Amino acid sequence: MPARILVIEDDEAILAFLRRGLGYEGYEVDTADTGQKGLALAGGNRPDLVVLDWMLPGMDGLEVCKRLRSTGKVPILMLTAKYSVSDRVLGLDAGADDYMVKPFNLDELLARIRALLRRTQAPKQKSYTFADLVLDTGTRRAQRGERVIDLTAKEYELLELFLRNPRQVLTREMIYDDVWGYDFGGESNIIEVYVRYLRQKLEEGKEARLLHTVRGMGYVLREDE
């Protein structure tokens, strides 16, 4: 069955362009020009992926993204004219899985859609365990011993990446590609920020550090030597 994509965009020209381009690729395409209409469509017939504009009339894309994320795990690709790192962080923290700045290239957008669909449709094991850390992929929640750790969407994806690759040094490029799916640019400190968030949560109960910095290389999940 072809994947069904919901496009929520108020610009008629872009909406028609995406409907045509996605249709040529074999996707089933639903469209909405407001956040309210998009949420109604998503609630009535759940899409496989949502392409969401940030600057919508009435309810903006950030709010739509949060509401979509609160009801499930549908992958969300956000489109916007906002290009600063802080704007990207806002979009990702709201629950977006990927982010593209307008004007965008259709071939790149299609490639990112394929990557998101592969990532979300790939079978995953039920849980990961390392030392006293357990990550449940069903509830997207972590535990250290009996202490439950609530994670944001990106914190979960970052921790899952490390748990899939224990004791292996992951470079910044590897982390960007797997968790964010695009390059923030050499000056961005987004990885450092999220590693710090994770460490704070993982060590809140004074537990031993598991997430270590390997200077000049990247980060590794390992026990203290």
Side-chain angles (χ1 to χ4, degrees), residues 40-204:
L41 282 173
N45 188 8
R46 187 170 183 80
D48 296 299
L49 183 141
V50 176
V51 177
L52 174 63
D53 182 34
W54 183 322
M55 303 299 289
L56 293 169
M59 183 188 303
D60 70 13
L62 283 184
E63 182 60 28
V64 175
C65 187
K66 291 175 184 176
R67 296 193 186 193
L68 286 170
R69 184 57 66 230
S70 71
T71 61
K73 300 175 184 176
V74 58
I76 300 169
L77 172 59
M78 184 166 280
L79 302 177
T80 179
K82 296 175 178 287
Y83 57 84
S84 72
V85 170
S86 60
D87 288 326
R88 296 181 188 185
V89 171
L90 280 176
L92 295 169
D93 280 347
D97 297 281
D98 203 351
Y99 188 112
M100 287 191 72
V101 176
K102 297 177 180 178
F104 56 86
N105 177 275
L106 179 61
D107 287 338
E108 182 183 0
L109 180 135
L110 291 170
R112 293 191 183 194
I113 286 175
R114 290 192 295 268
L116 285 173
L117 290 172
R118 283 197 304 270
R119 189 184 308 170
T120 55
Q121 293 172 356
K124 294 182 179 180
Q125 66 185 75
K126 179 66 177 177
S127 64
Y128 295 94
T129 301
F130 184 84
D132 62 344
L133 172 64
V134 177
L135 182 69
D136 188 309
T137 63
T139 61
R140 298 173 70 91
R141 194 169 65 177
Q143 284 185 239
R144 290 203 73 173
E146 297 301 315
R147 184 172 67 85
V148 174
I149 305 167
D150 290 318
L151 302 169
T152 66
K154 284 300 165 186
E155 288 168 353
Y156 169 85
E157 291 180 25
L158 183 59
L159 182 57
E160 185 185 21
L161 173 62
F162 282 111
L163 283 164
R164 291 201 313 265
N165 301 278
R167 302 184 182 89
Q168 298 181 42
V169 176
L170 302 182
T171 66
R172 291 168 54 89
E173 291 75 17
M174 293 168 63
I175 296 170
Y176 275 139
D177 183 62
D178 194 281
V179 178
W180 280 274
Y182 58 88
D183 186 10
F184 264 97
E187 299 303 316
S188 171
N189 66 340
I190 190 70
I191 292 178
E192 287 80 358
V193 169
Y194 273 88
V195 167
R196 185 170 69 248
Y197 290 164
L198 265 183
R199 281 177 175 159
Q200 290 171 349
K201 291 187 176 183
L202 294 178
E203 301 170 16
E204 188 175 348

